Amino acid sequence: MLRYRSLGQVDLRLEPEVHIVDRYMQLVKKCFTMTNVMLGGGKEVDLLAYNPRTNEKYHIEVRVTIGRGFRLRMKDTQTRNGRKHRRGMDTLNEIKFVHPVVTNKVGEIFGSSEYRKVLVVWDVEDSKVIEQAKAVYGIEVWKISDVLSEMMKKIGTKSYRDDALRIVQLISKMKA
């Protein structure tokens, strides 16, 4: 895992994909961010972001799994034992966005104002999932590949000492 140091904070461990989305929100979307917001009951919010110019607020969850089995779908499936695979919008909405512990904490931080819910994934089962997730659950689905592409354009060749940004730069040079 990458280490990230915010001003006045101790080192926090971020999953690389959360770190990339965090830096994307800062550099591309011009947001202040909070990562790994710990909640009661073993819950955690990956990322909260606020853009002071537009007043936009974001609750972002990152579910990037590159294994062949995970492609976001609208309805979750279950194992033979009855356990959910946690790759359906229904389940992810329930555990990541509308769980009372989560909504209470996000409301405590953002106040009573509206905020955007975003789920970042590697892939979707069907392109309709992106539109349906927004219509049914109010959740925007972003693909990590789009986040990386936008970030590569933004950071260009400027020298960064940030591990995640430097890796993105090196990979972008391979494609050139």
Side-chain angles (χ1 to χ4, degrees):
M1 285 192 198
L2 297 171
R3 290 178 160 258
Y4 179 74
R5 182 181 293 272
S6 291
L7 189 61
Q9 287 186 323
V10 296
D11 283 347
L12 298 175
R13 295 195 184 272
L14 289 180
E15 294 171 332
E17 59 272 19
V18 174
H19 186 84
I20 288 168
V21 175
D22 177 47
R23 297 301 285 155
Y24 169 79
M25 294 304 293
Q26 293 171 7
L27 296 170
V28 176
K29 297 287 190 181
K30 306 296 185 206
C31 292
F32 291 108
T33 62
M34 290 176 67
T35 56
N36 294 356
V37 181
M38 301 308 289
L39 314 175
K43 295 275 185 205
E44 175 185 3
V45 170
D46 287 339
L47 181 64
L48 295 175
Y50 171 69
N51 182 318
R53 288 185 181 171
T54 65
N55 257 354
E56 287 180 293
K57 298 171 182 127
Y58 299 84
H59 168 191
I60 302 171
E61 294 294 335
V62 182
R63 182 85 166 130
V64 173
T65 304
I66 57 175
R68 294 174 57 205
F70 185 88
R71 289 175 47 187
L72 184 67
R73 57 181 50 204
M74 284 302 290
K75 289 276 186 201
D76 212 344
T77 56
Q78 296 182 353
T79 66
R80 285 181 228 160
N81 302 354
R83 292 181 50 213
K84 292 183 178 185
H85 284 116
R86 294 183 172 198
R87 61 178 164 209
M89 280 303 310
D90 55 343
T91 300
L92 294 171
N93 178 56
E94 184 181 307
I95 62 176
K96 297 287 189 182
F97 292 100
V98 298
H99 191 282
V101 172
V102 174
T103 56
N104 288 341
K105 186 62 169 186
V106 173
E108 181 185 309
I109 293 170
F110 284 156
S112 61
S113 62
E114 298 275 323
Y115 59 91
R116 294 167 64 178
K117 298 175 187 175
V118 177
L119 177 64
V120 181
V121 298
W122 183 264
D123 200 7
V124 293
E125 183 178 66
D126 181 333
S127 61
K128 294 177 193 167
V129 170
I130 294 172
E131 295 90 35
Q132 291 174 341
K134 180 73 172 164
V136 174
Y137 298 106
I139 298 172
E140 298 173 42
V141 176
W142 296 353
K143 289 185 176 182
I144 193 79
S145 58
D146 296 334
V147 168
L148 286 166
S149 293
E150 273 189 70
M151 190 163 27
M152 281 187 226
K153 289 176 193 168
K154 179 69 178 174
I155 63 177
T157 58
K158 184 177 177 185
S159 183
Y160 286 96
R161 297 228 178 259
D162 181 282
D163 291 344
L165 293 180
R166 196 71 181 135
I167 291 167
V168 168
Q169 284 179 316
L170 291 170
I171 291 169
S172 72
K173 293 302 277 180
M174 286 176 44
K175 292 182 178 184

